[in-house]
Amino acid sequence: MIRVTVWNEYVHEREYEGIRKNYPEGIHGCIAAFLEREEDISCRTATLDMPEHGLTEQVLAQTDVLIWWSHAKQEEVEDVIAERVCSHIRMGMGFIGLHSAHFSKVLRRILGTSMTLRWRHGDSEKLWCVNPAHPIARGIPACIDIPKEEMYGEPFGIPQPEELVFVGWFSGGEVFRSGVTFTRENGKIFYFQPGHEEHPVYHMPPIQQIITNAVRWAAPVNRLIRQPENMHVD
Ligand code: ZN
């Protein structure tokens, strides 16, 4: 069983009626609900307002893959918690950053680059699969039409990705590296661009399939436990 924690700052859905209509249980509730339908996945959720943001050592030690959505309150994530998450990624916990989580403390810290991009509201997107043999692309069509999505455009301030799985094309003409993978020590990382909160993107079955595939891909093969005897000391 793959143990997933879906983390969401859970701010917009409580503040704006239109966004609450898209996600009455929160974005985390929507994602957890479709993942829970899978026999090999069990899910819990955590949000910013919980003690330690719901990401205690115990929760992270029992998490195989952490999914992260954040936007308005990136700076309110405590440094000690962001570092704790990064430490678990290095030991083998999988991490999936969604949409505006490109600018999360966790991704900026673990990837070490600016993570900046261009953006504009009000486009449509064609999400092209450019790596159909990749496990995250299993069962995914060559192109997914997203009727309304915020434009994210290049240049995207990421390190050179290890694998490029999806490229987004926007109706304004921009393109974006919309699905990219990295590894940091033992942990696998997938960043996936779709999912602006004003549009019900996470209700789309092919988007749900990509996130489900990414959970299976990111699940640890060997999870390390950081013991003093495993650490090199000069
Ligand atoms: Zn957005």
Side-chain angles (χ1 to χ4, degrees):
M1 190 67 88
I2 303 172
R3 299 163 302 175
V4 174
T5 299
V6 185
W7 191 90
N8 179 18
E9 65 177 26
Y10 198 25
V11 173
H12 298 305
E13 303 96 313
R14 294 197 273 210
E15 286 185 355
Y16 299 102
E17 180 68 29
I19 295 167
R20 188 160 51 244
K21 274 188 190 149
N22 289 338
Y23 299 109
E25 312 298 327
I27 286 173
H28 55 300
C30 172
I31 291 171
F34 69 72
L35 288 176
E36 281 283 5
R37 294 200 298 260
E38 304 296 319
E39 283 185 355
D40 57 336
I41 295 174
S42 68
C43 247
R44 73 203 301 170
T45 62
T47 52
L48 180 69
D49 57 1
M50 296 167 75
E52 301 184 54
H53 311 322
L55 299 174
T56 60
E57 274 293 348
Q58 191 188 11
V59 166
L60 291 174
Q62 295 170 352
T63 297
D64 296 313
V65 180
L66 178 62
I67 298 177
W68 189 283
W69 196 101
S70 57
H71 178 233
K73 305 283 184 184
Q74 317 267 31
E75 294 309 312
E76 292 186 23
V77 173
E78 289 175 38
D79 288 339
V80 65
I81 306 294
E83 184 49 42
R84 183 186 293 165
V85 169
C86 290
S87 166
H88 279 267
I89 294 171
R90 294 183 196 104
M91 287 189 284
M93 181 183 74
F95 185 86
I96 300 172
L98 296 175
H99 188 60
S100 37
H102 71 92
F103 224 50
S104 60
K105 278 189 182 178
V106 171
L107 276 183
R108 278 185 292 159
R109 192 174 284 239
I110 196 126
L111 295 180
T113 53
S114 70
M115 306 304 289
T116 51
L117 45 75
R118 305 153 73 92
W119 60 274
R120 178 180 60 243
H121 286 145
D123 281 58
S124 62
E125 178 178 6
K126 285 183 181 294
L127 184 72
W128 290 93
C129 177
V130 296
N131 193 345
H134 195 280
I136 297 177
R138 186 186 299 274
I140 302 303
C143 181
I144 299 167
D145 277 300
I146 305 177
K148 284 187 176 170
E149 181 55 282
E150 181 180 20
M151 184 280 287
Y152 274 11
E154 299 282 344
F156 185 18
I158 48 175
Q160 185 67 33
E162 286 162 36
E163 298 161 312
L164 180 61
V165 189
F166 298 100
V167 169
W169 173 90
F170 294 85
S171 49
E174 291 87 353
V175 292
F176 191 68
R177 289 171 287 176
S178 291
V180 287
T181 73
F182 306 91
T183 47
R184 285 296 181 270
E185 298 187 38
N186 303 287
K188 296 184 200 162
I189 298 165
F190 180 57
Y191 170 76
F192 189 51
Q193 159 266 316
H196 181 63
E197 69 279 1
E198 292 177 299
H199 314 303
V201 176
Y202 296 126
H203 291 284
M204 295 176 64
I207 299 295
Q208 296 182 354
Q209 187 65 55
I210 289 169
I211 294 170
T212 306
N213 290 347
V215 163
R216 295 194 178 109
W217 169 83
V221 176
N222 282 310
R223 184 76 175 267
L224 298 189
I225 297 169
R226 191 87 67 187
Q227 305 275 13
E229 60 266 32
N230 292 342
M231 297 173 76
H232 179 80
V233 180
D234 285 320

